[in-house]
Amino acid sequence: MPRTLLLAVLAVVACAAARPAACAAASLPLEVEVRAREFAPGEPVRITVRAPEPLVSARGRFGGREIRLAPEDGRTPSASWTGWSLVGLDDPPGPAIIEITGRTAGGRAAAGARAVTVAAREFPVEHLTVAAKYVEPPADVAARLARERAALDAVYARTSPPPPDLGPFVPPVPGPPTSTFGKRRVFNGKPRAPHPGLDLRAAEGDTVRSAGAGTVVWAGELYYSGNTVIVDHGLGLFTIYAHLSRIDVREGQPVRAGERLGLAGATGRVTGPHLHFGAKIGREPFDPRALYDPSLFD
Ligand SMILES: [Zn+2]
């Protein structure tokens, strides 16, 4: 068998064994670059896709979740696409694959993949005994909670284009963390959902700033998180600022990194003033401190 043909056959066999669906022999090969502080539960992943020909569409999957991709220059067709994904809090350690598919203006399919290894990560467990009112919401707020959940689901389902000046994020307040991301709290012996953000020390009235450039998509009161601002940073990336004593922005307002969103406080179901700083890709939380890492924004 001629050497070149043998190599071609081997390539198709390797490809089909790894991932048959994304791997038609005729598809255009995509270069998939992935960046993360660490491939471990609770970490965001930045994905960049380069194609040998401009694509009119591109989409991806990682660990059963969809990756929302957009052209880097904001124009379609494009040979360069970008998007966000994450390693979920409950993702198992071991090998995983990030798969991208796309299509050229001429209708040709494009495909590429990148294998990663997810490290194991343990989150601390904290046992707390608190007054019953902090554990179970009163029965008469069930309808309110359902309404808020539906409204937030609609917020996190949005896919906006990324702002052009999205760079490394900045801390929203200067105070140190008082509770870390992912901590599994057990209240009065009952396990709760893992802490979906970071608590930062802040006094009542301290200025709270947007960690990154984006658009305000929520500015209002919620049962658990009190006065809350959510900023949309594009392609499913959001940051959340909770328990504010005052909100100084309105929905639809563009904000720069470091711009004032409001003042810290103790609204919602909390025992004292602090800033709860959250970050999500879609509806899934990750450690917001990862966004300070400049390598995610190269
Ligand atoms: Zn918190």
Side-chain angles (χ1 to χ4, degrees), residues 35-116:
R35 277 166 290 163
R37 198 168 62 156
E38 194 186 344
F39 285 95
E43 291 290 330
V45 179
R46 183 81 187 263
I47 292 148
T48 311
V49 179
R50 311 229 184 268
E53 282 176 40
L55 305 177
V56 291
S57 65
R59 60 197 308 171
R61 292 197 75 74
F62 176 41
R65 44 180 90 73
E66 174 130 9
I67 305 167
R68 309 172 198 182
L69 294 162
E72 277 199 302
D73 58 4
R75 269 177 290 187
T76 308
S78 176
S80 179
W81 293 66
T82 184
W84 291 99
S85 191
L86 81 167
V87 184
L89 265 172
D90 296 316
D91 283 15
I97 191 151
I98 294 170
E99 283 179 277
I100 309 292
T101 57
R103 195 158 287 281
T104 67
R108 188 171 174 199
R114 173 71 66 169
V116 298

Side-chain angles (χ1 to χ4, degrees), residues 195 199 274 276:
H195 190 214
D199 290 342
H274 68 275
H276 172 91

Side-chain angles (χ1 to χ4, degrees), residues 161-170 172 208-219 229-234 237-241 244 247-262 277:
D165 48 351
L166 193 68
F169 282 42
V170 297
V208 173
R209 301 178 184 282
S210 182
T215 303
V216 175
V217 285
W218 182 274
V229 173
I230 302 176
V231 178
D232 179 354
H233 306 285
L237 176 65
F238 301 89
T239 51
I240 299 111
Y241 310 81
L244 306 182
I247 294 176
D248 292 332
V249 289
R250 55 191 161 64
E251 284 165 25
Q253 182 179 332
V255 289
R256 298 179 310 276
E259 189 165 335
R260 190 178 72 201
L261 300 174
F277 175 37

Side-chain angles (χ1 to χ4, degrees), residues 97-134:
I97 191 151
I98 294 170
E99 283 179 277
I100 309 292
T101 57
R103 195 158 287 281
T104 67
R108 188 171 174 199
R114 173 71 66 169
V116 298
T117 302
V118 174
R121 177 176 275 179
E122 291 293 322
F123 292 97
V125 180
E126 186 178 38
H127 291 267
L128 296 161
T129 303
V130 296
K133 64 174 178 165
Y134 292 114

